[in-house]
Amino acid sequence: MIILVSGASHTGKTLLAQRLLERFRFPYLSVDHLKMGLIRSGQTDLTPEDDDLLTPYLWGIVKEIVKTAVENGQNLIVEGCYIPFDWQKDFTPEYLRHIRYVCLVFSENYIEKHFADIRNNANAIEQRLDDSGFTKAIALEENRRYFQGCKDNGCNFVLIDEQYDIDEVYKSIV
């Protein structure tokens, strides 16, 4: 089984992937780690700020990793914000039956009430070197975009509205 975990920045994708790893013992691939490896090694001229260009670039690689894992009967968790909303078009039905997808989305209500908590939990798994550019306005815009993208493309999503309990999110997809 392949589990794709997507969502806006700070929604807990990496924490969810860690919980899934602990439960299923599936390895996981952080698309952010792949991004930084390719950037730091000079394999691309893209920068961490090139989000619109990074999604097609990274997804071109990640989708082939997913196909290879399916073909080899391997399990894998892939987490990151660089999974396009129309990801399903890149797989035949034979592949799709092995893939589960979930997108984590904060509601406007949640962001308005809990932005300090979102910021305080930013380093739950990975250490962010500089998170000063992450603002409430950015969080609202990104989550609106993810919510609309999921609705427009029929993607499975978990809308976090009143309370964020990663274990409840976990239970909703397994």
Side-chain angles (χ1 to χ4, degrees), residues 1-5 16-30 69 73-78 98-100 170 173-174:
M1 176 186 340
I2 309 298
I3 302 172
L4 303 177
V5 179
L16 178 58
Q18 181 69 34
R19 291 282 162 77
L20 292 166
L21 173 143
E22 292 166 0
R23 167 69 168 90
F24 293 113
R25 301 285 185 231
F26 293 178
Y28 83 81
L29 168 67
S30 166
Q74 297 170 310
N75 300 308
L76 180 64
I77 301 160
V78 177
H98 297 279
I99 303 170
R100 295 183 73 185
Y170 165 83
I173 64 166
V174 293

Side-chain angles (χ1 to χ4, degrees), residues 98 119 121 156:
H98 297 279
R119 295 282 312 212
N121 290 309
N156 182 39

Side-chain angles (χ1 to χ4, degrees), residues 3-148:
I3 302 172
L4 303 177
V5 179
S6 187
S9 181
H10 294 72
T11 54
K13 298 177 298 294
T14 306
L15 181 58
L16 178 58
Q18 181 69 34
R19 291 282 162 77
L20 292 166
L21 173 143
E22 292 166 0
R23 167 69 168 90
F24 293 113
R25 301 285 185 231
F26 293 178
Y28 83 81
L29 168 67
S30 166
V31 183
D32 279 340
H33 290 175
L34 177 62
K35 169 187 77 175
M36 292 311 299
L38 291 165
I39 290 171
R40 288 179 174 172
S41 68
Q43 299 298 310
T44 180
D45 292 329
L46 297 173
T47 71
E49 289 77 37
D50 292 326
D51 280 340
D52 290 342
L53 299 173
L54 282 165
T55 297
Y57 178 76
L58 293 168
W59 182 244
I61 298 166
V62 170
K63 73 181 178 187
E64 299 306 325
I65 292 171
V66 168
K67 288 177 184 176
T68 301
V70 169
E71 291 161 358
N72 287 296
Q74 297 170 310
N75 300 308
L76 180 64
I77 301 160
V78 177
E79 66 87 12
C81 60
Y82 300 105
I83 299 170
F85 297 113
D86 63 350
W87 66 272
Q88 293 180 355
K89 72 173 178 44
D90 294 317
F91 300 99
T92 63
E94 293 79 29
Y95 287 102
L96 288 171
R97 69 173 206 255
H98 297 279
I99 303 170
R100 295 183 73 185
Y101 171 95
V102 66
C103 184
L104 304 180
V105 181
F106 289 145
S107 71
E108 289 184 23
N109 174 60
Y110 186 82
I111 294 168
E112 291 293 343
K113 290 182 179 177
H114 300 280
F115 187 70
D117 296 329
I118 294 167
R119 295 282 312 212
N120 290 337
N121 290 309
N123 294 320
I125 298 293
E126 296 177 330
Q127 300 304 306
R128 297 174 189 267
L129 298 178
D130 180 11
D131 203 29
S132 61
F134 184 72
T135 64
K136 186 188 288 186
I138 288 172
L140 288 165
E141 189 279 322
E142 282 185 4
N143 281 275
R144 279 186 206 112
R145 187 170 52 83
Y146 274 84
F147 183 61
Q148 193 62 51

